[in-house]
Amino acid sequence: MHETNTQMLQRYAQCWDSHDVEGLVALLTEDIVYEDAALGWTHHGIAEFREFAAKVFAMHPDFSLRYLDAFATETRGAAEWIIETSFEGEFEGVQVSGGQVSFRGATLFEIRGGRICRNRDLWNYADWMRQLGVTRLADATRAASAG
C-alpha cells in the first residue's frame, strides 16, 4: 500500500503540473479538506476544491509543480516541491499580471483508502510577495505616508 500511495502522490503532482482538475479530483475523497496555511485558505469537499483549482489555473496559466521528494505510508504522506509560475490579474488588491515567482514548499497529506482526504500546503508567503514586488510596493506606500 505504501508504494501505491507514493505513486498516487506522484500522479497528484502530475495532475497539478498538467492543469488536470478532474485528474486531481479523482485522487481525493469526497470530504477532502484542502488547506493553504500561507494564505489562510481552507476548502472543504470536492466542489470547493474544484473551484479553487480552476481559479489557480486561470490566474497561473503556466503553473508548474515538481516534487523534490515525496513519500507516503498507508495513512500519511509528505512532499517537498517547487512551484514556478506567472500571474494574470490581481492578487490581494494589487495588479500582478506578468509577475513571475518560483518558490519551495511542502505538503502534508492524510490518506484514506488510497485517496487524499487532507492536504496541508506550507510555504513562505513573504518570499512570494517579495518576488512579485508587492512587499516593496507596500514599503514604499508606508514610507510615503509616514514622510
Side-chain angles (χ1 to χ4, degrees):
M1 179 66 94
H2 306 313
E3 183 59 31
T4 300
N5 283 343
T6 299
Q7 291 170 340
M8 180 266 300
L9 293 183
Q10 292 294 339
R11 281 195 312 276
Y12 188 65
Q14 292 165 356
C15 289
W16 274 111
D17 194 58
S18 64
H19 303 199
D20 181 359
V21 175
E22 293 311 310
L24 290 166
V25 166
L27 300 173
L28 307 175
T29 61
E30 288 293 321
D31 61 345
I32 179 68
V33 176
Y34 187 100
E35 299 175 77
D36 187 311
L39 295 173
W41 295 345
T42 303
H43 306 284
H44 299 271
I46 293 292
E48 285 186 20
F49 174 83
R50 186 180 275 122
E51 182 180 337
F52 163 72
K55 286 180 182 178
V56 166
F57 298 139
M59 182 179 275
H60 306 282
D62 60 350
F63 182 95
S64 172
L65 172 124
R66 69 182 165 87
Y67 284 170
L68 301 173
D69 194 16
F71 74 92
T73 67
E74 186 174 333
T75 60
R76 300 208 181 268
E80 180 183 10
W81 44 258
I82 292 179
I83 290 175
E84 295 176 321
T85 189
S86 62
F87 279 79
E88 291 295 326
E90 283 189 3
F91 183 76
E92 303 221 358
V94 176
Q95 181 57 247
V96 292
S97 288
Q100 300 279 330
V101 294
S102 175
F103 60 102
R104 283 175 50 167
T107 301
L108 303 176
F109 299 98
E110 292 179 25
I111 300 168
R112 184 172 66 238
R115 298 167 103 192
I116 299 165
C117 60
R118 186 176 206 101
N119 177 117
R120 288 178 296 199
D121 290 337
L122 309 163
W123 51 277
N124 187 330
Y125 178 81
D127 181 50
W128 198 49
M129 292 287 94
R130 267 192 299 282
Q131 289 182 52
L132 288 172
V134 174
T135 303
R136 289 186 300 273
L137 177 62
D139 291 344
T141 302
R142 275 194 297 278
S145 63

